[in-house]
Amino acid sequence: MESLLRVEDLNVRYKSYRGELKVLDDVSFEVKVREKVGLIGESGCGKTTLLKSILRILPPNSIIYKGKIFFKNIEIIKANKNEIFKIRRENIGMIFQDPMSALNPFFKVKDQLYDALRYSVHNIKSQQDLQQMIIKLLKEVALSDSERILESYPFELSGGMRQRVCIALALTRSNDLLLADEPTTNLDVTIQEQILNLLRELVNKRGLSIVLVSHALGMVKEFVDKIYVMYAGQIVETASTDKIFSEPLHPYTKLLLSAVPRLTGRWKAEGLIGRLPDYVNPPPGCRFYMRCQQSNSNCKIKPKLLKLNKDHSVACWLYGDEEH
Amino acid sequence: MNELLVVKNLKKYFKTKFGLVKAVDGITFHINEGETFALVGESGSGKSTTGHMIVGMYAPTSGEIYYKMNNISVHASKRPKNITREIQVVFQDPASSLNPSRYIKDIIGTPLKVYNLIRNSTEVEQKVADLLENVELPPELYMYRKPRELGGGELQAIAIARALSTNPKLIILDEPTSALDVITQAKIINLLLNLQKKHNLTYLFITHDLAVVRNIASRVAVMYLGKIVETAPTIELFNHCRHPYSMMLFSSIPVISEDEKNLKPKKITSIGEIPSSLSIPPGCRFHTRCPYAEARCKVEEPSLKHINSGHIVACHLAE
Ligand SMILES: Nc1ncnc2c1ncn2[C@@H]1O[C@H](COP(=O)(O)OP(=O)(O)OP(=O)(O)O)[C@@H](O)[C@H]1O
Ligand SMILES: Nc1ncnc2c1ncn2[C@@H]1O[C@H](COP(=O)(O)OP(=O)(O)OP(=O)(O)O)[C@@H](O)[C@H]1O
Ligand SMILES: [Mg+2]
Ligand SMILES: [Mg+2]
C-alpha cells in the first residue's frame, strides 16, 4: 500500500516557566492509504501533540525542534500558509478531543456547519444543496433532530450530540485523512458502533485513512489495522492490532492492557505504580525505566525501535540482540 | 439502608423554537447512602440533565428531589448552604467547566474559601497540594499552571480534585474518567472507591463505559429518551437484562477478550431511526426501534414491572 502520511524523528517541545518540556522524542509514524491506525498511551504522553503537529496547529509556546512530516509529497513543516490552509480545508480533518473547544459557543450549529462546507471542496450550487447536504451529514452521524440541532447553540446539546456535530464538521474536510482524537468518549456503545460503521464505509468507498486516538481499547481493537503505543513522547511498540493484543512485548504495553476494565468484573487496579516522567528532565535512556519491573542497567541507554518482523517493532532492551 | 437521595417523577422540558424538548420525562429512583448508582443509556437521553437538576443548576419542570428528606427541587441559590456544599459535581466537559486562564491553585482553592473551609492562605496551598496528590498530579508541577496548558486527562483529574475539596457527601460524576487512559482511570477510580469507604461517600456515576459500571456500581439505571427503562442491581442487570434497549446496548459493548464476549447478550441490531426528542413516539417510546414490538407497544405506555428484588423494567413483553 501507498504511504499517505509519514512522520520522521519528530521532536516537539513546549516552553514553560520551568524550562522546556521535551515532549515528543524522535517519533516516527506512518499511515498508508485506506489504513486505520490506532495511537494509544497514557494521558499526557503526547498523542494530541502529535496530531496537532500534523495540521500545524500547535499552540504558540510550542517548538518543532527537529523532524519531518510528509503528507503525500508535501513537507508539512516547510509548507507555506496557503498550502497548509488548503490541506486543512480539503485533505485532512480533525475531530478534537474536547468538543466544546472545537465549537464556537456563540454561534449556532447551523452557522458553523455552513461555514465549514462553504469553504470545503464540495461542489455546492445553491442554498438548498447546502441544506440538504447538512441534513444528510447529520443523519449519518445519528443526529435525527436535524432542524432543532441546526438552530441550537452548543450548550443546548448533550455532550454526545456536540461530539457528533464535531465529527460531522471534521468529515466535511477529510477527503484523505481523518485525525480522530478521542472521537466517541461521550457516545453510548450503540451510537459509537454506528459512527464506526460510517467511518469504515468512508474508508472503503472514498479511500479515507484514519488515525484513531483513544483510551477505549475495546473499540480500538475492533476498529484499527495497526497500533502505535506511545509512552512519554516516544513510540515504544508498533504492530498489527492482533499482535498488540495477543502478543504484547513492551512491558509498558503489557501494563496498559492489564489495566483495562473487563466485563468479567475482575479489574485489578493494583500494581499500577508511578507516573510519566517530568518532561523538563526526562531520563536520557528508556523513558519507562523508572516504572519498569524488568529493567536492567542497559535501560539507561535509549533503545531504538527494533523491527522484529514484518509487522512488529519494539523499543526495549529485552528484545533482539545486543547491537540494536 | 438509608436513602440519601430520592427522585420522584422528575421532569425537565426545554422550550425551543420547534417545541418542547422533553429531556427528562418523569423518572423515579433513589440512591442509598454509601453506594455507587450508575446512570447509563443513549446519548441525549437526559442523563446530564438529571445530574444538573440534582446539583441545582436549574429547577425541575415538575417532580421532586429529596436530599436527606429535605425537598431540594429548586435552584441551588435557594438551597441551604450546607446542602450545596454536600452535593458536588464533576462535569462531562472538563475543559469548558474550568476557567482556562486561572491558576490551578485558585480553581481548586475557590470552593475552600466560599465554604470557609480554610483559615489562611498558607492553609489553602497545603490543602490544594493534598488534593492534587490525591488525583496523582504532583503539586509542584501543577499548582501554577493553567487549564489551557494541560491535556484532557489532566483537566479531568483537576475537576475531580475540585469536587472533592468541599468534603462532599454526594458527588455526581458525569463521565469522570472518559478522557483518562486505562491506567490513570484505574488509579482515580481506586481513589474514588477508597474515599468512598473512608468517608461513606455516595456517587451518582453517569457514564458510557459499561465495563467500568460492571466493576464499581452497586445498582444501575438505563435511560432511553427521557425515561428510565430498566433498573437493577449491577450483576443482575449484566446477567439478565430484560428490556430490549438494554439488550441492544449491552450487546454492542466492545471487549478485548473471548471470556468477555461470552458474557454479552445475543446481538440485537437496532431497526428504524432514532426518534426526535420533540415528538416522542406514543406507547412505548422504544417501539420504533424494537425488533420485538407488538401492536400494544405502539399505543400503550408500559408500566413499571417488578421482576424480582430491585429489578424493575418498563416493557410489555417482560413477564
Ligand atoms: N500548550 C502547552 N504548554 C505546555 N505544556 C503543554 C501544552 N500542551 C500540552 N502540554 C503538555 O504536553 C504533554 C503532552 O500533552 P498532550 O495533550 O499531547 O497529551 P495526550 O497524550 O494527548 O494526553 P491526553 O490523553 O490526556 O489527551 C502533557 O504533559 C501536557 O501537559
Ligand atoms: N439548555 C438546553 N436547552 C435546550 N435543550 C437542551 C438543553 N440542555 C439539554 N438539552 C436537550 O436535552 C436532551 C438531553 O440532554 P442531556 O445532556 O441530558 O443528555 P445525556 O443523556 O447526558 O447525553 P450524552 O450521553 O450525550 O451526554 C438533549 O436532546 C439536549 O439537546
Ligand atoms: Mg489528548
Ligand atoms: Mg451528558
Side-chain angles (χ1 to χ4, degrees):
Chain A
M1 266 185 299
E2 192 189 334
S3 176
L4 179 70
L5 174 82
R6 235 173 45 244
V7 175
E8 288 175 3
D9 294 323
L10 186 66
N11 287 255
V12 176
R13 301 178 174 183
Y14 292 107
K15 280 179 253 170
S16 88
Y17 70 99
R18 293 187 307 120
E20 273 179 19
L21 303 169
K22 304 176 192 68
V23 178
L24 296 190
D25 183 46
D26 288 338
V27 168
S28 294
F29 183 86
E30 189 185 29
V31 182
K32 293 180 178 151
V33 175
R34 285 177 192 275
E35 198 172 32
K36 305 190 281 298
V37 178
L39 177 61
I40 64 176
E42 215 150 326
S43 281
C45 75
K47 303 178 296 293
T48 302
T49 303
L50 174 58
L51 297 192
K52 287 188 172 171
S53 321
I54 297 168
L55 278 176
R56 284 231 329 243
I57 48 172
L58 285 166
N61 65 330
S62 65
I63 312 160
I64 297 187
Y65 182 73
K66 197 179 123 212
K68 290 184 178 145
I69 301 175
F70 296 96
F71 173 73
K72 293 183 168 172
N73 292 319
I74 304 162
E75 197 178 335
I76 298 268
I77 295 171
K78 292 196 179 140
N80 64 37
K81 274 217 161 74
N82 288 335
E83 281 176 295
I84 290 294
F85 284 152
K86 190 165 178 308
I87 288 177
R88 283 185 209 153
R89 224 166 34 228
E90 300 177 4
N91 307 99
I92 309 182
M94 178 156 171
I95 302 168
F96 290 89
Q97 183 166 16
D98 168 37
M100 268 320 239
S101 65
L103 296 173
N104 187 326
F106 304 112
F107 288 97
K108 288 182 178 172
V109 168
K110 179 175 81 178
D111 301 321
Q112 312 201 29
L113 278 170
Y114 281 180
D115 265 5
L117 275 167
R118 208 170 290 141
Y119 297 109
S120 74
V121 288
H122 303 283
N123 184 10
I124 293 156
K125 292 184 212 81
S126 63
Q127 190 67 19
Q128 238 170 342
D129 251 20
L130 189 64
Q131 184 84 18
Q132 261 167 12
M133 193 172 245
I134 286 178
I135 290 175
K136 180 164 165 274
L137 200 59
L138 291 181
K139 223 174 221 139
E140 281 178 339
V141 294
L143 287 170
S144 53
D145 260 357
S146 47
E147 260 193 338
R148 165 172 77 100
I149 288 174
L150 288 173
E151 289 293 330
S152 298
Y153 291 94
F155 81 89
E156 295 173 303
L157 301 178
S158 83
M161 290 170 155
R162 286 196 287 263
Q163 201 158 37
R164 282 174 275 165
V165 169
C166 291
I167 295 174
L169 263 174
L171 289 180
T172 64
R173 295 166 179 152
S174 25
N175 286 304
D176 297 297
L177 180 62
L178 175 64
L179 306 174
D181 197 355
E182 297 285 0
T184 62
T185 44
N186 292 316
L187 300 181
D188 63 86
V189 290
T190 315
I191 291 181
Q192 170 176 297
E193 193 176 80
Q194 194 172 334
I195 301 273
L196 294 183
N197 284 337
L198 167 70
L199 296 182
R200 283 190 189 102
E201 207 179 290
L202 294 176
V203 171
N204 295 335
K205 284 199 188 141
R206 259 203 235 160
L208 185 72
S209 306
I210 296 176
V211 179
L212 174 67
V213 169
S214 179
H215 296 306
L217 299 186
M219 167 178 81
V220 171
K221 179 168 191 269
E222 284 187 2
F223 188 69
V224 304
D225 311 312
K226 177 173 92 183
I227 292 178
Y228 285 90
V229 183
M230 192 146 142
Y231 182 77
Q234 298 174 332
I235 300 292
V236 296
E237 183 166 1
T238 172
S240 65
T241 304
D242 286 348
K243 277 276 159 54
I244 289 284
F245 284 94
S246 63
E247 283 172 56
L249 295 177
H250 199 284
Y252 177 66
T253 311
K254 291 180 186 170
L255 179 73
L256 201 60
L257 294 182
S258 76
V260 177
R262 316 264 175 148
L263 281 186
T264 41
R266 291 184 304 265
W267 191 20
K268 65 166 202 322
E270 297 94 45
L272 305 173
I273 41 160
R275 52 169 73 106
L276 292 175
D278 180 6
Y279 286 117
V280 174
N281 282 308
C286 172
R287 286 187 172 183
F288 188 57
Y289 170 63
M290 295 298 286
R291 283 168 87 179
C292 187
Q293 308 275 327
Q294 291 167 274
S295 60
N296 59 48
S297 56
N298 271 339
C299 305
K300 291 184 180 158
I301 303 162
K302 186 170 143 183
K304 284 211 184 70
L305 194 62
L306 182 74
K307 196 163 186 156
L308 297 180
N309 59 49
K310 194 169 105 294
D311 63 6
H312 207 152
S313 303
V314 61
C316 174
W317 290 107
L318 294 172
Y319 302 95
D321 35 35
E322 298 302 286
E323 295 124 59
H324 256 229
Chain B
M1 249 180 298
N2 244 342
E3 293 180 349
L4 185 69
L5 187 87
V6 175
V7 166
K8 282 192 179 151
N9 202 16
L10 192 65
K11 294 185 182 173
K12 181 72 198 178
Y13 294 172
F14 293 104
K15 282 199 195 77
T16 73
K17 227 169 95 178
F18 300 96
L20 279 187
V21 173
K22 300 184 174 178
V24 174
D25 200 14
I27 62 172
T28 297
F29 64 90
H30 70 273
I31 308 181
N32 295 319
E33 192 168 357
E35 82 167 332
T36 299
F37 183 77
L39 203 51
V40 305
E42 188 156 68
S43 166
S45 60
K47 304 180 297 297
S48 297
T49 305
T50 303
H52 292 162
M53 285 189 276
I54 295 170
V55 288
M57 265 174 66
Y58 32 68
T61 304
S62 68
E64 290 105 52
I65 307 170
Y66 296 91
Y67 176 76
K68 292 182 178 167
M69 324 259 261
N70 301 292
N71 189 333
I72 55 161
S73 325
V74 287
H75 189 271
S77 60
K78 295 182 184 149
R79 296 178 182 178
K81 212 169 169 184
N82 64 322
I83 290 185
T84 52
R85 180 186 67 73
E86 288 185 12
I87 307 179
Q88 291 295 318
V89 60
V90 175
F91 289 104
Q92 185 164 14
D93 227 330
S96 62
S97 68
L98 302 171
N99 185 333
S101 50
R102 289 182 75 203
Y103 288 121
I104 302 304
K105 182 188 146 226
D106 298 325
I107 289 176
I108 300 179
T110 302
L112 293 171
K113 289 179 195 150
V114 170
Y115 292 106
N116 295 320
L117 299 169
I118 32 103
R119 276 161 301 189
N120 54 50
S121 54
T122 39
E123 224 178 338
V124 177
E125 191 117 348
Q126 186 50 49
K127 189 81 208 289
V128 171
D130 291 347
L131 288 160
L132 284 171
E133 279 294 349
N134 260 341
V135 294
E136 297 277 331
L137 298 175
E140 67 281 9
L141 302 188
Y142 286 92
M143 199 78 107
Y144 291 102
R145 287 176 80 182
K146 297 171 178 176
R148 65 156 171 259
E149 298 162 13
L150 302 175
E154 292 163 310
L155 293 175
Q156 218 157 31
I158 285 161
I160 292 174
R162 182 178 61 173
L164 291 171
S165 69
T166 66
N167 304 322
K169 297 217 61 86
L170 171 65
I171 310 183
I172 321 289
L173 299 157
D174 197 348
E175 296 287 359
T177 59
S178 65
L180 299 174
D181 65 277
V182 288
I183 295 177
T184 316
Q185 167 174 273
K187 285 183 188 164
I188 292 217
I189 287 196
N190 237 7
L191 161 81
L192 289 171
L193 295 180
N194 287 336
L195 289 168
Q196 182 171 45
K197 261 185 244 148
K198 205 157 115 197
H199 304 292
N200 198 27
L201 299 183
T202 306
Y203 297 138
L204 171 60
F205 199 91
I206 301 174
T207 185
H208 292 301
D209 193 332
L210 298 168
V212 170
V213 169
R214 167 65 182 79
N215 281 278
I216 69 162
S218 40
R219 291 185 307 131
V220 188
V222 183
M223 280 187 84
Y224 180 77
L225 221 59
K227 284 264 191 209
I228 292 180
V229 296
E230 187 163 12
T231 312
T234 307
I235 311 271
E236 162 80 7
L237 186 71
F238 277 76
N239 292 341
H240 309 287
C241 65
R242 300 295 286 273
H243 197 284
Y245 174 68
S246 313
M247 294 183 205
M248 187 172 115
L249 190 67
F250 285 69
S251 71
S252 306
I253 306 173
V255 295
I256 64 168
S257 67
E258 284 301 313
D259 294 2
E260 292 173 278
K261 237 180 223 160
N262 299 333
L263 292 175
K264 293 202 295 183
K266 179 171 118 282
K267 179 82 195 169
I268 294 193
T269 321
S270 131
I271 55 168
E273 271 173 30
I274 299 173
S276 152
S277 50
L278 291 167
S279 57
I280 289 176
C284 169
R285 52 191 70 199
F286 186 60
H287 87 255
T288 54
R289 296 172 67 197
C290 181
Y292 307 121
E294 295 175 351
R296 68 172 157 164
C297 304
K298 295 175 189 163
V299 287
E300 194 186 323
E301 181 154 0
S303 55
L304 294 175
K305 284 192 190 128
H306 291 255
I307 302 283
N308 55 41
S309 133
H311 191 164
I312 304 170
V313 59
C315 174
H316 289 305
L317 305 173
E319 292 309 331

